[in-house]
Amino acid sequence: MARAPYKIAGEEIPAGTRKTVEVPVAKLYTHTPLHIPVEVVHGRRDGPVLLVCAAIHGDEINGVEIIRRVLRYGALRHLRGTLIAVPIVNVFGFVQRTRYLPDRRDLNRCFPGSESGTLGGRIAYLFRTQIMENVTHIIDLHTGAIHRFNLPQIRAELKNPETIRIAEAFGAPVILNASLREGTLREYADSLDIPVITYEGGEALRFDDVIISSGVRGIIRVMRALEMLPPKASRIKIKKRSEVAATSTWVRADIDGIMRPIVRLGQRVRKGQKLAVIADPFGETETALTASVSGIVIGMNNLPLVNEGEAIYHIARFDEIAEAEKAMDYFRSKLDPDVTEAVLPVHPWDDQQK
């Protein structure tokens, strides 16, 4: 018996085909309509329905390129189940190169939304009713904010065994056990018992090929774990790629000034260790910024001009920090060539710190 077509926004996609669907979202002041582009790859055989989405914050563009490369992956012709790819959720912010909507609202604080609410509420309502509520798993792609670079990491609330399974399958060096925030896509998906993970990596408005390649590989690994794609031919046991961080903390600037970083992303630090130096422009005062906890740096501010209280270093804390350091070293040294036709050549990890 043939598999039924997949229905979305009034369109039907037959089994064994793929189609781009334009979901109408709102209009500009000029009365020009805007749409959320959705690519549906509907396999011939039954299986999970995986939603991969990006740019819910309009300036977080790494995820847009990650999805583009995943959609080029040749093995999708053997797909079991359905892939729903939404590279640009916040089309308003993406066009304007900004995180927010025109009314300065954060779309990722607007869920579940309302059919008659604010612009953000209406978009969230449309997205959940037309797209989210028909899926079985979600991967939400994010980056750090402007001038803030995040090490590749998965954020998830690790209470659902299926969420844990796909988080580990993704293979980012760090899994952060992150609590849910009200109004987020992740919180709403969790309320529907949909396993959802957030991939964080890189910096807003910048492409980073290591981050992008890692994201592509992670999505393909999750699809293999869900049996949506054929398994790898190799039977060699893969080394554990990820370690779970139970908590994390930001180290903030004690004074205003010009920062000179000492510690880099992915580096293990000890409580009390000097992370950076903050000085005035004349060199008359100089203050060391020190780690408040021991752990591994998973995010940092790249802008050297800082104000007192500004978040500078994000440190993840691990029960087994030595194992976490090994996972970090593994990520730096080897990005497995399991989707080589879908990604561009990667640069050495240290080149990405410049």
Side-chain angles (χ1 to χ4, degrees):
M1 182 177 177
R3 191 181 183 204
Y6 190 85
K7 298 179 180 180
I8 182 172
E11 301 267 4
E12 289 192 355
I13 296 87
T17 67
R18 60 192 292 173
K19 184 177 183 179
T20 300
V21 177
E22 301 286 346
V23 179
V25 59
K27 293 181 179 178
L28 298 175
Y29 305 124
T30 60
H31 214 64
T32 303
L34 281 184
H35 300 81
I36 297 177
V38 180
E39 179 84 1
V40 180
V41 186
H42 192 43
R44 295 184 182 279
R45 296 178 294 163
D46 288 335
V49 180
L50 173 65
L51 167 63
V52 182
C53 58
I56 196 169
H57 295 135
D59 59 358
E60 298 182 359
I61 64 174
N62 273 324
V64 180
E65 177 65 6
I66 289 171
I67 290 176
R68 187 188 73 82
R69 297 190 194 184
V70 168
L71 290 173
R72 289 174 54 199
Y73 188 47
L76 289 181
R77 62 182 177 272
H78 304 300
L79 182 72
R80 174 179 169 268
T82 306
L83 173 64
I84 311 296
V86 187
I88 307 165
V89 179
N90 181 359
V91 289
F92 284 96
F94 187 79
V95 168
Q96 296 295 323
R97 305 177 189 176
T98 179
R99 177 184 181 91
Y100 302 107
L101 293 164
D103 60 1
R104 296 295 296 169
R105 290 180 184 271
D106 185 335
L107 181 54
N108 205 29
R109 298 294 183 273
C110 294
F111 286 87
S114 168
E115 191 174 10
S116 58
T118 64
L119 175 62
R122 291 168 186 256
I123 295 174
Y125 174 84
L126 174 76
F127 190 77
R128 74 171 174 86
T129 56
Q130 295 292 319
I131 300 170
M132 277 183 66
E133 293 179 355
N134 296 319
V135 307
T136 61
H137 299 76
I138 298 175
I139 302 175
D140 187 20
L141 305 175
H142 286 257
T143 75
I146 292 177
H147 307 308
R148 188 176 292 171
F149 197 103
N150 281 338
L151 187 82
Q153 59 196 261
I154 289 294
R155 297 184 183 181
E157 185 166 76
L158 302 179
K159 63 180 183 180
N160 183 332
E162 184 67 357
T163 300
I164 296 171
R165 186 169 81 93
I166 62 174
E168 291 178 342
F170 194 98
V174 173
I175 299 172
L176 188 59
N177 190 7
S179 58
L180 300 169
R181 289 189 177 183
E182 185 177 357
T184 61
L185 180 152
R186 193 160 63 92
E187 185 217 29
Y188 182 69
D190 183 80
S191 73
L192 299 178
D193 291 325
I194 299 173
V196 54
I197 60 175
T198 295
Y199 173 65
E200 285 270 359
E203 180 182 350
L205 294 177
R206 292 182 184 272
F207 275 174
D208 184 283
D209 207 60
V210 166
I211 301 300
I212 293 167
S213 298
S214 177
V216 174
R217 290 177 167 90
I219 292 169
I220 298 302
R221 291 189 193 111
V222 170
M223 294 179 74
R224 285 184 174 138
L226 295 174
E227 298 183 350
M228 296 178 71
L229 293 177
K232 288 179 67 175
S234 174
R235 295 185 179 181
I236 299 173
K237 185 177 180 181
I238 300 298
K239 195 175 178 181
K240 186 179 181 183
R241 294 186 175 95
S242 308
E243 285 295 325
V244 176
T247 60
S248 67
T249 187
W250 277 97
V251 179
R252 298 179 179 273
D254 297 321
I255 63 170
D256 308 295
I258 299 172
M259 178 191 67
R260 302 195 312 274
I262 297 171
V263 169
R264 298 182 300 170
L265 276 172
Q267 189 170 331
R268 178 178 177 176
V269 297
R270 302 180 307 279
K271 183 177 181 179
Q273 180 177 339
K274 185 187 290 188
L275 304 176
V277 173
I278 302 175
D280 68 83
F282 307 102
E284 294 179 359
T285 61
E286 191 169 277
T287 302
L289 181 70
T290 59
S292 56
V293 296
S294 296
I296 289 177
V297 175
I298 62 170
M300 66 177 290
N301 189 338
N302 286 329
L303 188 66
L305 311 178
V306 302
N307 294 113
E308 183 178 356
E310 191 169 349
I312 307 298
Y313 281 94
H314 193 193
I315 302 175
R317 305 176 68 182
F318 299 85
D319 293 332
E320 298 291 340
I321 193 167
E323 293 302 314
E325 194 171 26
K326 288 179 183 178
M328 207 67 60
D329 290 341
Y330 182 76
F331 174 78
R332 286 172 175 165
S333 65
K334 186 175 183 181
L335 286 171
D336 293 340
D338 54 359
V339 288
T340 51
E341 70 263 47
V343 300
L344 299 174
V346 299
H347 302 293
W349 172 256
D350 284 346
D351 288 349
Q352 304 304 313
Q353 312 310 310
K354 297 179 181 178

